[in-house]
């Protein structure tokens, strides 16, 4: 439940142990980072699938998982852990300051 999650996140932050959450809400609650679906990426993926269907192709998997993810990072937790975000060729990183 949310009380347990808040306790775990607070204890991990106090002990300076980073926690990866499974949603942006967990990052807002104190997790260091979490993946987030890239809606722009899903739009591109959908457009490519639609273009293939309109061209006469039948997709092997009509229901697909998102291929593009962003990473949401809690700036406060990042600072508390004395870390920084490095530029990389990975997913888009969004800092939130909660």
């Amino acid at each position: 439940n949310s009380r347990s999650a808040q306790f775990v996140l607070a204890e991990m932050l106090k002990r300076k142990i980073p926690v990866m959450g499974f949603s942006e809400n967990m990052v807002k609650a104190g997790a260091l980072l979490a993946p987030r679906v890239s809606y722009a990426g899903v739009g591109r993926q959908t457009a490519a699938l639609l273009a293939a269907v309109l061209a006469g192709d039948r997709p092997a998997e009509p229901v697909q998982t998102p291929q593009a993810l962003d990473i949401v990072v809690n700036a406060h937790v990042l600072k508390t852990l004395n870390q920084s975000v490095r530029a990389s060729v990975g997913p888009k990183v969004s800092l939130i300051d909660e």
Side-chain angles (χ1 to χ4, degrees):
N1 64 29
S2 64
R3 276 183 148 171
S4 299
Q6 287 176 341
F7 173 76
V8 168
L9 291 170
E11 285 299 307
M12 299 307 256
L13 186 59
K14 185 167 70 175
R15 297 167 196 246
K16 296 194 178 209
I17 300 171
V19 175
M20 180 177 171
F22 54 82
S23 70
E24 186 170 351
N25 285 338
M26 285 196 73
V27 174
K28 290 179 180 179
L32 173 61
L33 57 89
R36 176 176 62 188
V37 172
S38 166
Y39 293 105
V42 169
R44 286 188 294 276
Q45 187 176 341
T46 303
L49 184 61
L50 180 59
V53 169
L54 291 174
D57 293 341
R58 279 196 93 141
E61 296 292 328
V63 177
Q64 300 179 358
T65 57
Q67 295 174 350
L69 294 175
D70 296 338
I71 302 296
V72 183
V73 178
N74 185 315
H76 174 72
V77 173
L78 195 66
K79 184 177 177 182
T80 300
L81 297 174
N82 293 321
Q83 297 294 318
S84 62
V85 176
R86 295 187 189 122
S88 67
V89 181
K92 178 184 169 199
V93 175
S94 300
L95 288 174
I96 60 172
D97 198 11
E98 293 290 322

